[in-house]
Amino acid sequence: VQLQASGGGLVQPGGSLRISCTASGSIFSISTMGWYRQAPGKQRELVATIDSGDSTNYADSVKERFTISRDNAKNTVNLQMNSLKPEDTAVYYCNARILTTGALKWATFWGQGTQVTVSS
């Protein structure tokens, strides 16, 4: 199983950016998907999660600005980021809880990370 993130880049404060992550490989089912971020010198922190019933959870710092969504047909999770601030600058990692085929075991997988830089 692989998670491939895309869509990061440089954006000015107040701008918007959308990042996506697609899971591929031996997937039977996906439960919770999410986004985490890690800024230089800081620990990785939760940004947002979405479960298989589309219930969402957000960090207080991104509520009302970020929206997480998923496309189950494409095994994709998206993060729409609006009103971006310099403190949102970080490497963003996607994460998914996946039931793999064959062994039929749940496991957590991580994407490779995509850089988001908010700067003028």
Side-chain angles (χ1 to χ4, degrees), residues 6-118:
S6 62
L10 173 65
V11 62
Q12 293 187 340
S16 297
L17 202 62
R18 180 181 173 91
I19 55 178
S20 298
C21 177
T22 299
S24 62
S26 302
I27 298 169
F28 186 83
S29 180
I30 303 177
S31 61
T32 301
M33 305 183 83
W35 288 96
Y36 293 71
R37 66 186 181 187
Q38 187 166 18
K42 294 189 176 181
Q43 289 188 332
R44 190 173 297 189
E45 63 177 5
L46 179 144
V47 176
T49 61
I50 183 168
D51 68 17
S52 56
D54 286 340
S55 292
T56 58
N57 178 52
Y58 294 93
D60 288 342
S61 60
V62 306
K63 281 180 181 176
E64 309 301 328
R65 299 189 298 123
F66 290 10
T67 301
I68 191 170
S69 63
R70 64 192 285 171
D71 184 335
N72 294 324
K74 297 180 180 179
N75 291 336
T76 296
V77 60
N78 306 299
L79 188 68
Q80 177 66 42
M81 302 180 288
N82 299 328
S83 303
L84 282 160
K85 305 174 181 180
E87 50 263 44
D88 294 317
T89 295
V91 177
Y92 283 70
Y93 297 91
C94 58
N95 160 289
R97 185 76 173 160
I98 295 174
L99 181 64
T100 57
T101 58
L104 284 179
K105 296 182 93 171
W106 287 99
T108 298
F109 294 88
W110 290 88
Q112 85 284 7
T114 185
Q115 178 70 46
V116 172
T117 302
V118 185

